[in-house]
């Protein structure tokens, strides 16, 4: 069997991850996480990192078969635990300026047939244990990046009518196109794309909206924005001074909503894949920033448990704008993976805010909180955009400016 994944493009993806995604500096360490299946990409990234002068590259591999073995044979009490020492070790590395890279390749349905109670408890324990890492990433202490690799189970879910080999090849090509590594000069293409996203962010920042109002089928939602919020997108500067592209691909501009000023109802427009569970047809009602009613046609148990993780989980930590004509959306592919699906539609995220999304970069956690920034042990994006959604910006003086019409920039 020939390898359905174009190895030249895969190698370009590795190069883009190091040179655009991370902009890894000479002497900088790198901590990478990957599934076993994505080892070919992890190895190429390791090579490019060392060629770029990396200090130490350390990869932590996970194995989905081992995860399933846990659900089959693990003691019940173990589902309230997570390996917190791993996250503490990663946090220590970031404190010493290591960069962070994650390869997304997981089967979105891995845990679909497992006990939702165990899945919910394991997710919660993982969210809590991951707190030291999440803090450093959402506060953007170091340069970080996520890229994707076409895992076989993931590919079969996205292309169910094809053989495994064909499905992997198709998902690989979709990842390469979205990540701009099918072009002659991917790095130049990323520079141009970053400039475009910066223009959109600037337009939104110049308007300094107090709130965004979304209307469409099943949606009538007003999202107040945090005081002093700043819109960002594409490349941005982390606290260690390195300007990186955290997501490859990325099509969004995003900012921090006000944790207490979200009202109305909204429904999901794409299924959400979260940690091996699929959650579909989410409908929620917000009151004073908090979700007070929730339903989902699939994965409701897991979703409700996620929302009960902690006090901040029912409040928003991110609001992001993505035109319906984004290349990922145009591909017509439903990826069942947030890195891609969130870049095909406007989305919001439950939980922790990005404290970087403020004009004043030196706010204390108290100041972030009083400006409306949310805190939580989760940060989960879900998609609410479609070609049926209109968005108005409400200015501080009450004036209304069209932002999106029928899913496109107005
Ligand atoms: Zn986002
Ligand atoms: Zn997000």
């Amino acid at each position: 069997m020939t390898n359905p994944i174009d190895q030249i493009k895969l190698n370009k993806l590795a190069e883009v991850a190091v040179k655009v995604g991370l902009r890894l500096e000479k002497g900088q360490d790198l901590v990478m996480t990957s599934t076993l299946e994505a080892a070919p990409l992890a190895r190429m990234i390791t090579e490019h990192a060392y060629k770029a002068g990396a200090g130490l590259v350390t990869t932590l591999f996970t194995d989905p078969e081992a995860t399933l073995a846990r659900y089959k044979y693990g003691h019940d009490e173990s589902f309230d635990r997570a390996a917190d020492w791993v996250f503490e070790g990663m946090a220590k590395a970031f404190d010493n300026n290591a960069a962070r890279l994650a390869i997304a390749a997981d089967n979105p349905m891995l845990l679909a047939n497992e006990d939702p109670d165990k899945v919910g408890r394991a997710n919660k324990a993982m969210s809590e244990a991951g707190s030291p890492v999440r803090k450093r990433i959402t506060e953007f202490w170091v340069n970080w990046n996520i890229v994707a690799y076409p895992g076989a189970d993931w590919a079969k879910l996205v292309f169910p009518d094809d053989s495994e080999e064909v499905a992997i090849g198709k998902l690989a090509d979709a990842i390469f196109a979205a990540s701009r590594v099918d072009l002659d000069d991917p790095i130049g293409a990323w520079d141009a794309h970053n400039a475009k996203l910066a223009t959109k962010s600037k337009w939104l920042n110049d308007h300094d909206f107090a709130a965004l109002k979304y209307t469409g089928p099943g949606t009538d939602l007003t999202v107040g924005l945090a005081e002093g919020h700043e819109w960002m997108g594409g490349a941005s500067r982390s606290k260690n001074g390195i300007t990186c592209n955290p997501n490859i691909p990325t099509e969004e501009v995003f900012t921090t909503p006000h944790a207490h000023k979200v009202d109305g109802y909204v429904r999901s427009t794409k299924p959400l894949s979260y940690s091996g569970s699929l959650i579909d047809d989410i409908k929620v009602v917000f009151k004073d920033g908090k979700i007070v009613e929730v339903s989902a046609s699939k994965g409701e148990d897991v979703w409700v448990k996620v929302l009960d993780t902690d006090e901040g989980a029912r409040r928003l930590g991110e609001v992001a704008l993505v035109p319906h004509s984004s290349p990922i959306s145009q591909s017509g592919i439903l990826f069942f993976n947030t890195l891609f699906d969130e870049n095909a539609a406007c989305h919001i995220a439950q939980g922790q805010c990005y404290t970087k999304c403020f004009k004043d970069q030196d706010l204390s956690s108290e100041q972030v909180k009083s400006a409306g920034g949310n805190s939580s042990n989760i940060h989960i994006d879900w998609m609410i955009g479609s070609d049926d959604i209109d968005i108005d910006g409400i200015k501080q003086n009450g004036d209304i400016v069209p932002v999106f019409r029928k899913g496109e920039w107005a």
Side-chain angles (χ1 to χ4, degrees), residues 230-249:
E230 181 169 21
W231 289 90
M232 303 196 158
S236 63
R237 198 177 144 98
S238 61
K239 283 188 179 158
N240 66 0
I242 300 172
T243 298
C244 65
N245 260 90
N247 290 2
I248 301 277

Side-chain angles (χ1 to χ4, degrees), residues 209-212 214 221-231 253-263 286 289 312 314-320 347-355 357-358 367-375 379 381 384:
F209 292 120
L212 297 179
Y214 296 69
L221 183 73
T222 303
V223 178
L225 301 179
E227 289 156 34
H229 69 273
E230 181 169 21
W231 289 90
V253 291
F254 60 100
T255 195
T256 297
H258 197 294
H260 295 272
K261 294 184 182 170
V262 183
D263 287 280
F286 281 92
R314 284 179 181 252
R315 299 184 188 274
L316 293 188
E318 179 192 330
V319 54
H347 58 271
I348 48 181
Q350 299 306 129
Q352 179 64 43
C353 74
Y354 285 107
T355 59
C357 288
F358 285 93
Q367 287 169 316
V368 166
K369 192 179 169 191
S370 65
N374 192 31
S375 67
H379 175 98
D381 300 82
I384 61 168

Side-chain angles (χ1 to χ4, degrees), residues 214-220 266-271 320-326 329-330 334 341-348 382-391 403-410:
Y214 296 69
T215 41
T219 295
D220 186 346
V266 62
R267 68 178 198 195
S268 63
T269 50
K270 287 175 190 290
L321 301 177
V322 181
H324 188 70
S325 61
S326 100
S329 173
Q330 290 289 296
L334 182 60
D341 293 328
E342 74 167 345
N343 283 305
C346 288
H347 58 271
I348 48 181
W382 57 288
M383 286 58 75
I384 61 168
S386 73
D387 57 0
D388 266 335
I389 296 285
D390 291 341
I391 305 172
V403 177
F404 267 54
R405 284 294 174 268
K406 296 279 165 215
E408 296 302 322
W409 287 100

Side-chain angles (χ1 to χ4, degrees), residues 114 124 202 249 261 268 288 300 335 373 378 381 391 394 406:
E114 305 303 330
K124 187 171 185 211
K202 185 176 183 306
K261 294 184 182 170
S268 63
D288 299 328
E300 186 176 294
F335 284 87
I378 64 163
D381 300 82
I391 305 172
I394 303 171
K406 296 279 165 215

